[in-house]
Amino acid sequence: MSNLSSLTWYSRFVDETPGDSVVGGPARQVEGACWSRVLPTPSPNPSLQLWSEEMAKSLSITKGDLEILSGGAPSSGMDPYAQRYGGHQFGTWAHQLGDGRAITLGEVESDVGIVELQLKGSGLTPYSRTADGKAVLRSSIREFLCSEAMHHLGVPTTRALSLVTTGEEVMRDILYDGNRAFEQGAIISRVSPSFIRFGSFQIHTAIGDTETLRELVEHTIRNHFPGHQYSNDQQLLAWLADIAKSTATMVSHWMRVGFVHGVMNTDNMSIHGLTIDYGPYGWIEDYDPNWTPNTTDLSHRRYKFANQPRIAGWNVARLLESIAPLFDEPEQLSQILDVYFEAIGEQQNSMWAGKLGFDTFEEKDVELVRELNSLLQLVETDMTIFFRLLSDIEAPNVESLKFAFYEEDEIPTQQWNEWLLKWWDRVDATPDRIKMKLTNPKYVFRNWMAQLAIEDAEKGDFSLCEELLELLKNPYAEQMDMHSKWFTKRPEWAKSKVGCSMLSCSS
Ligand code: AMP
Ligand code: MG
């Protein structure tokens, strides 16, 4: 065991892809580069508040190094940079975005291979545009706890190592309604094989810079896709097929656990199929496929729960377009979209087999699942509790599921019992309960749980954050001592509260 500063640091991204000639400096349009060298901004009064012991173990480090984690001087071997990328935001090309408040310190060895360590909220970069490069405590807690929760749920994700409060106040307008207020600043450190996004490739193609695009593709394949090559169309197709499949896997997991990302812009799509950039995300409580947690998305609901598989496909299409200039015969690229939609179809079917306790999904199950989807929407029904109770049901009677309903006297009993009987026949009265319980988590990071933890933390008490971090390490286990406190529906106060049902990108 050592500490962060004494690890051996690498910077393959900086060494192998073109960079900006200017160091740091004002917000600007950068040309012909994948990154800009920039130093984090030190925090005036930093305090380490949350720490992932597991992530630390994976990096073989001991707790500490507050200076580095709060934006202080980089230690030897680190070559910090902000990444340049573009992206489609809400379906529209937004040109250069880039790491406006994230700074990658470098790469280190972990027990799952070489990973990048990045600070988020550590100050201005050339990509900060008109913003401040900072992050607030509220959104940093949301990212720290949710990324760890997702990991333990088995959902591919970036991870978090630390959360530091900076001792600085940051001005935010949570609902973009003119009500600005000071909030506590914070910095998290996060970990990923790389932070390369779909938008990292798009930015070069958008301005016709095929040479930089080629260098980035070569770097990405060489370092992050062992077994892949980049010399011809067939090799690039095989690489893109893997990205399409891992993206499908990630989104299927979101659908399984009821996660709504909220901002599936192409700059928020990891090339590794990892959930990245936790902003105005939310968790389905009442099963409403049309729900979006993001207030900016309320009018069109582009990123609502039910749209996620389709939107990820749209994003894959944008990635394919961005790699097209490297192809001799770019028309071949359309087959990768078929790969994506085939993969997501198969994954969704096996997800339903798991949720409903079948050995395998059969064609005839489509109708049963369709009926279930409409039934779940008849009255307010809690997704997590419903599927968990279904995993334990002894007889096809909705009576044993009634805790999942928000208004017990509204339960459409007859319709439910008819469906339950069909399902019971389908599984021969013996659903695969073990499979169901490993598919249907008992505890997820509900919107109001985050809010409770944040309210305490803003007063300096991080014990609820710690409690949730522990709880969510074993989301499929019964944890009976936690049952009555956390295996519970959304409380009435959370129904229309900012931070629970309403979230914005302001973070
Ligand atoms: P998001 O969709 O929240 O991941 O962010 C979209 C873009 O805005 C990214 O380029 C971010 O780096 C940038 N951004 C968000 N918040 C800030 C901030 N406070 N300061 C600088 N850039 C930001
Ligand atoms: Mg982002």
Side-chain angles (χ1 to χ4, degrees), residues 310-326:
R310 203 168 62 76
I311 290 291
W314 191 90
N315 289 342
V316 167
R318 303 290 79 74
L319 173 69
L320 300 178
E321 285 167 2
S322 75
I323 309 297
L326 302 185

Side-chain angles (χ1 to χ4, degrees), residues 153-351:
L153 282 162
V155 185
T157 179
T158 61
R159 302 277 310 264
L161 171 68
S162 61
L163 184 151
V164 168
T165 44
T166 59
E168 187 176 42
E169 302 236 289
V170 175
M171 180 79 90
R172 286 291 181 272
D173 180 353
I174 299 192
L175 286 181
Y176 301 127
D177 60 0
N179 285 315
R180 285 145 56 95
F182 278 114
E183 297 188 47
Q184 296 174 54
I187 298 174
I188 60 164
S189 63
R190 56 182 189 177
V191 179
S192 177
S194 91
F195 290 93
I196 299 171
R197 300 133 191 275
F198 289 11
S200 310
F201 301 94
Q202 285 183 286
I203 186 71
H204 309 302
T205 305
I207 53 173
D209 183 358
T210 309
E211 220 18 70
T212 305
L213 171 72
R214 186 187 313 280
E215 290 183 68
L216 179 61
V217 167
E218 290 180 3
H219 161 84
T220 306
I221 295 179
R222 188 163 54 236
N223 295 295
H224 301 295
F225 290 83
H228 282 279
Q229 305 285 323
Y230 44 79
S231 313
N232 58 43
D233 284 8
Q234 286 319 308
Q235 292 173 341
L236 288 172
L237 282 174
W239 170 58
L240 290 165
D242 268 8
I243 297 171
K245 285 184 214 157
S246 65
T247 303
T249 303
M250 170 188 79
V251 174
S252 296
H253 280 291
W254 293 356
M255 303 311 284
R256 171 175 68 82
V257 299
F259 177 79
V260 192
H261 183 284
V263 216
M264 293 175 74
N265 294 335
T266 55
D267 51 302
N268 290 337
M269 298 293 292
S270 150
I271 203 74
H272 305 285
L274 301 175
T275 314
I276 190 173
D277 281 10
Y278 291 84
Y281 68 82
W283 293 80
I284 290 281
E285 295 193 86
D286 157 37
Y287 189 83
D288 175 5
N290 292 317
W291 185 65
T292 175
N294 186 353
T295 47
T296 316
D297 192 31
L298 279 182
S299 47
H300 294 95
R301 296 184 185 264
R302 178 180 174 87
Y303 297 144
K304 66 185 186 181
F305 181 61
N307 260 7
Q308 297 187 118
R310 203 168 62 76
I311 290 291
W314 191 90
N315 289 342
V316 167
R318 303 290 79 74
L319 173 69
L320 300 178
E321 285 167 2
S322 75
I323 309 297
L326 302 185
F327 272 74
D328 293 326
E329 292 173 34
E331 49 296 347
Q332 298 183 83
L333 278 162
S334 66
Q335 62 186 270
I336 304 301
L337 263 194
D338 300 336
V339 168
Y340 172 79
F341 283 107
E342 206 172 291
I344 193 107
E346 276 168 19
Q347 308 249 17
Q348 295 270 90
N349 286 347
S350 61
M351 172 194 88

Side-chain angles (χ1 to χ4, degrees), residues 475-490:
Y476 301 98
E478 295 299 343
Q479 302 194 64
M480 287 316 289
D481 53 333
M482 292 290 155
H483 178 97
S484 56
K485 188 167 178 191
W486 299 120
F487 186 63
T488 170
K489 293 177 289 238
R490 177 203 64 224

Side-chain angles (χ1 to χ4, degrees), residues 57-78:
K57 218 180 265 169
S58 166
L59 300 171
S60 302
I61 56 167
T62 49
K63 190 169 176 174
D65 274 313
L66 179 60
E67 198 187 347
I68 292 175
L69 297 172
S70 62
S75 70
S76 101
M78 288 180 185

Side-chain angles (χ1 to χ4, degrees), residues 7 49 64 103 106 160 209 240 298 309 333 356 374 390 432 474 498:
L7 293 178
Q49 305 290 6
I103 295 176
D209 183 358
L240 290 165
L298 279 182
L333 278 162
L356 297 176
S374 359
L390 190 71
D432 185 338
N474 290 296
V498 175

